[in-house]
Amino acid sequence: MFVLILFAGHASAQTPPTVQPSGDLKKLKRLSLDELQAIEVTSVSKHPEKLSGAASSIQVITGDDIRRAGATSLPEALRLASNLQVAQVDSRAWAITARGFNNSSANKLLVLVDGRAVYTPLHAGVFWDVQDTLLEDIERIEVISGPGATLWGDNAVNGVINISTKNARDSQGVLVTGGGGSELRGAGGMRYGGHVGTDVRFRAYGKYFGRDSSALPIGRQATDDWTMGQGGFRLDWDTSRVSHMTVQSDVYDGRIAQPGTNHIAASGSNVLGRWSRTLSKDSDLSLQLYYDRTHRNIPGTFTEDLQTYDADFQHRFRVGAGHDVVWGLGYRASIDDEGNSAVLSFLPAHLSQRWLNGFVQDEMPLGTDRLRLTLGTKVEHNDYTGVELQPSGRLAWTLTRRQTLWGAISRAVRTPSRIDRDFFVPVALGSASFLLAGGPDFVSEDVRAYELGYRSEPHDRLSLTVATFQNDYGHIRSLEQLAPPAPFPLVLANGQTGNSHGAELTAEYRVTDWWRLRSGYTAMRLHLRPDPGSTDKSFGSTESHDPNHFGTLRQSLDLPAHLQFDAAFRYVGQIANQTVQAYGELDERFAWQATPALECSIVGQNLLHAHHAEFGAPVTRKEAERGVHAKLVWRF
């Protein structure tokens, strides 16, 4: 019995809505999987639709899932989505992607936090060490594997992560958290939510943590411990019966140790405003504006100061016999200032860029509401490559009330980053010669993706999902010899082509009202090859570091006396081109709801090994360590 509990279950799209520990939890336990399938998601079509009918491989991580997993950061929470590849690089850095091309600077996955894109134009990826919020304030995380560029734009090539925090009305009162242990040395947070009159709700929060260093392969501690503090607020105002205004902001500052020199400094702030208005039951519009500032100083390597301004307008309405149309316009500007060093340079050091975009999508029935076709495209203009077109077509067929078959064909692009065009590594200090340089003619990488999926609920307590895909990639980044056969200098170009195929499977089984099992498994093959005339000999080893298969099992058990026990086992296959060996790992959480206002928990992470490698080349590799920490959450 104990072994079965330890090795069963996984977070999938069929997860219950977020609730506070109260009487609502008892009501939630009585929901059938059929009712849970009716959860509404917005990331697939930019309007609410039932999860069971979404024509995409989408999984949902709820706030309650995050709490019961004992996650202490957003990357740890993303392990709950079995359609993501999540690997810890060191104490602060993560490699996260969907459907391949994983890297510590993975550039084919778009990440949004409350509608704010958090990728950097420096490498078109995400600095995961500074993506944070009070985890208790997360409403849900919607994870799409597969292209989402028609609605979300450039870099949504292999997937989209859409993180949404709670409306301020759902986070009223005082919340205090605190804890610590072996790897998470100490952490604490506080949030206060209140109201002004009957129409305005607000919350403000602050948090702090300190994390221990990761381990070197020989077992000694690496010098990469780090600390960060963050604070922010959110205000939600019902300006009228049909209009709503949201204003929110965050500010953070952190220090990360590195051997032999000063600490890495990372800081930033953002402010976002969003206005929405409901015109009718089938029509609404919204306008969103945000400003984002980031600073990063890696002593001896580079310094970056980035400012981003973004505006987005969207309108949804119904036309004729069931045509649901959504369209929008967007504008973004960035100002990037680089502090170059003897190790690397970005030329020009100061660069301003602008992006313009517009999209339209029409969802329509084909003779019957059981068969719906969605057609759309996004048109974007960027300063590097000009106009990019990203169309898609999706078909959803509701076979029965408990069965849905869907398919999709899409095109998406990953536009050039500053590394692709403006990057230089000199031969020596002050030298005009270089070892590696960005390519002045670098164009967008692109994918043509074909997907087929099936969702079924064969029993009131059992749900199954399978999604298959075939991706054809063109213009993939390559390292070209400028003067072959001389190995150097190298120039970045678009000299590789490739394809991938695979399948994602998830299952959920409610054994009883108090015992829930979830599982997920992904099998994938990715092949890259040089184009005719290319001198790249890497066969994709510089662009993609992916296991061919990975899976998870997770269980959630509610015990008498207000006790909970959760366990998650994950298995990740070998990353051959990094010689990272396959591994299995176990996380566990034991919690006691002492009173309706007080929860105590103890969490063990990576319990099967003292330390193990998840990512990285052998010469620079750092390893994740076993960790145990305790946590108190007090609400009043």
Side-chain angles (χ1 to χ4, degrees):
M1 175 69 171
F2 182 67
V3 174
L4 178 61
I5 292 174
L6 288 183
F7 296 97
H10 174 71
S12 68
Q14 298 78 25
T15 50
T18 304
V19 295
Q20 301 294 342
S22 67
D24 291 339
L25 188 57
K26 296 180 180 179
K27 180 180 178 182
L28 173 64
K29 293 174 186 176
R30 294 194 295 268
L31 291 179
S32 69
L33 286 177
D34 187 47
E35 291 170 303
L36 292 174
Q37 286 277 31
I39 290 175
E40 290 187 336
V41 296
T42 60
S43 298
V44 177
S45 57
K46 277 202 172 181
H47 67 78
E49 62 179 328
K50 290 183 179 180
L51 174 63
S52 59
S56 179
S57 176
I58 180 171
Q59 298 187 25
V60 177
I61 304 168
T62 69
D64 193 59
D65 292 328
I66 295 170
R67 177 183 67 87
R68 297 203 59 157
T72 63
S73 66
L74 281 175
E76 288 180 6
L78 292 175
R79 288 196 192 274
L80 298 172
S82 63
N83 55 349
L84 287 179
Q85 298 159 244
V86 180
Q88 186 173 352
V89 179
D90 54 31
S91 72
R92 66 175 180 90
W94 295 76
I96 302 175
T97 193
R99 296 186 177 176
F101 289 93
N102 207 12
N103 211 315
S104 56
S105 55
N107 56 23
K108 294 177 178 59
L109 180 71
L110 183 65
V111 181
L112 303 109
V113 179
D114 285 326
R116 177 174 54 90
V118 296
Y119 80 91
T120 170
L122 184 73
H123 60 76
V126 176
F127 286 116
W128 284 105
D129 52 4
V130 294
Q131 308 310 324
D132 197 15
T133 189
L134 195 67
L135 294 184
E136 286 77 9
D137 286 343
I138 292 178
E139 174 69 27
R140 64 173 58 201
I141 303 174
E142 297 181 8
V143 179
I144 296 174
S145 51
T150 296
L151 296 179
W152 300 104
D154 293 346
N155 302 80
V157 174
N158 282 357
V160 177
I161 297 174
N162 192 1
I163 301 166
S164 300
T165 62
K166 297 174 183 176
N167 188 296
R169 69 170 176 265
D170 299 320
S171 50
Q172 296 289 284
V174 177
L175 178 142
V176 179
T177 71
S182 58
E183 292 303 299
L184 181 65
R185 289 178 173 175
M190 182 174 180
R191 177 246 286 156
Y192 172 72
H195 62 90
V196 179
T198 59
D199 299 325
V200 179
R201 300 288 189 274
F202 68 87
R203 68 166 178 261
Y205 79 94
K207 64 175 297 186
Y208 170 86
F209 66 78
R211 294 185 182 273
D212 194 19
S213 296
S214 57
L216 298 173
I218 58 175
R220 293 208 314 259
Q221 290 288 291
T223 307
D224 61 356
D225 54 293
W226 65 301
T227 60
M228 192 168 82
Q230 179 166 320
F233 75 89
R234 173 166 173 159
L235 181 148
D236 286 284
W237 178 20
D238 293 321
T239 56
S240 73
R241 186 176 58 85
V242 294
S243 298
H244 183 83
M245 175 73 75
T246 296
V247 179
Q248 59 191 92
S249 180
D250 304 282
V251 59
Y252 63 86
D253 186 79
R255 295 295 181 270
I256 304 145
Q258 58 177 350
T261 186
N262 295 329
H263 291 347
I264 298 170
S267 61
S269 59
N270 63 78
V271 60
L272 178 147
R274 181 170 51 251
W275 172 80
S276 60
R277 182 177 180 85
T278 301
L279 304 177
S280 71
K281 66 181 183 68
D282 298 317
S283 179
D284 54 64
L285 54 83
S286 65
L287 176 65
Q288 176 180 281
L289 306 172
Y290 72 78
Y291 167 77
D292 191 301
R293 181 196 66 82
T294 64
H295 168 79
R296 183 173 294 263
N297 179 18
I298 305 179
T301 304
F302 82 99
T303 301
E304 182 192 31
D305 287 280
L306 175 67
Q307 298 181 76
T308 302
Y309 303 83
D310 189 278
D312 182 82
F313 170 79
Q314 178 181 304
H315 180 207
R316 181 180 68 91
F317 59 95
R318 174 164 286 200
V319 177
H323 287 256
D324 288 319
V325 179
V326 58
W327 69 279
L329 298 172
Y331 172 79
R332 174 179 297 173
S334 73
I335 303 172
D336 192 17
D337 288 290
E338 300 292 336
N340 295 324
S341 70
V343 178
L344 58 85
S345 300
F346 290 89
L347 302 175
H350 174 89
L351 182 67
S352 297
Q353 298 185 76
R354 292 172 177 82
W355 295 262
L356 291 169
N357 71 78
F359 78 91
V360 62
Q361 179 170 280
D362 182 10
E363 181 182 336
M364 67 199 81
L366 295 181
T368 171
D369 283 340
R370 293 177 58 186
L371 187 63
R372 299 189 66 84
L373 175 65
T374 303
L375 298 175
T377 190
K378 187 152 197 166
V379 181
E380 282 194 303
H381 181 277
N382 68 84
D383 290 348
Y384 282 134
T385 64
V387 175
E388 299 284 359
L389 189 66
Q390 302 181 84
S392 70
R394 296 182 177 273
L395 187 67
W397 183 13
T398 304
L399 302 173
T400 68
R401 186 175 63 86
R402 295 189 174 190
Q403 296 182 86
T404 300
L405 181 68
W406 61 268
I409 301 176
S410 312
R411 180 182 187 268
V413 302
R414 198 278 292 180
T415 55
S417 66
R418 293 211 65 186
I419 282 182
D420 301 317
R421 286 287 191 101
D422 308 326
F423 184 58
F424 293 89
V425 177
V427 172
L429 179 64
S431 173
S433 302
F434 60 88
L435 294 174
L436 173 64
D441 301 318
F442 195 96
V443 299
S444 296
E445 301 177 325
D446 64 81
V447 64
R448 287 171 174 81
Y450 310 88
E451 302 173 85
L452 184 65
Y454 173 72
R455 293 188 184 92
S456 174
E457 188 188 333
H459 187 274
D460 286 345
R461 293 185 175 272
L462 176 65
S463 66
L464 304 169
T465 302
V466 59
T468 61
F469 60 92
Q470 167 73 38
N471 292 344
D472 296 328
Y473 296 95
H475 306 104
I476 297 301
R477 186 165 56 190
S478 62
L479 292 172
E480 304 292 341
Q481 298 170 356
L482 192 61
F488 295 101
L490 295 172
V491 175
L492 297 177
N494 301 96
Q496 294 191 96
T497 303
N499 57 74
S500 69
H501 62 274
E504 301 162 351
L505 298 92
T506 61
E508 177 171 343
Y509 180 42
R510 283 185 175 271
V511 184
T512 68
D513 290 343
W514 43 268
W515 190 14
R516 182 180 176 200
L517 309 177
R518 288 160 288 177
S519 63
Y521 173 74
T522 295
M524 183 192 69
R525 296 291 187 275
L526 173 63
H527 305 283
L528 295 179
R529 56 191 177 277
D531 293 334
S534 172
T535 59
D536 190 295
K537 307 300 182 185
S538 68
F539 288 90
S541 62
T542 59
E543 293 301 300
S544 177
H545 309 288
D546 307 295
N548 288 332
H549 52 95
F550 50 94
T552 58
L553 297 169
R554 184 171 183 84
Q555 73 89 39
S556 298
L557 182 64
D558 296 317
L559 300 169
H562 307 289
L563 299 174
Q564 295 176 338
F565 179 68
D566 294 80
F569 175 79
R570 67 183 184 275
Y571 176 81
V572 181
Q574 179 188 29
I575 304 177
N577 59 18
Q578 288 188 333
T579 65
V580 174
Q581 298 303 310
Y583 71 92
E585 201 51 272
L586 177 68
D587 299 336
E588 292 186 352
R589 174 182 179 268
F590 187 78
W592 176 40
Q593 193 72 46
T595 71
L598 180 63
E599 181 183 72
C600 315
S601 62
I602 184 167
V603 178
Q605 297 175 311
N606 302 320
L607 295 176
L608 301 184
H609 303 89
H611 55 90
H612 71 277
E614 295 188 5
F615 200 84
V619 293
T620 59
R621 183 175 299 158
K622 298 176 183 178
E623 301 189 351
E625 294 185 279
R626 178 187 295 129
V628 177
H629 67 268
K631 182 178 181 179
L632 294 176
V633 179
W634 185 27
R635 295 177 173 87
F636 60 94

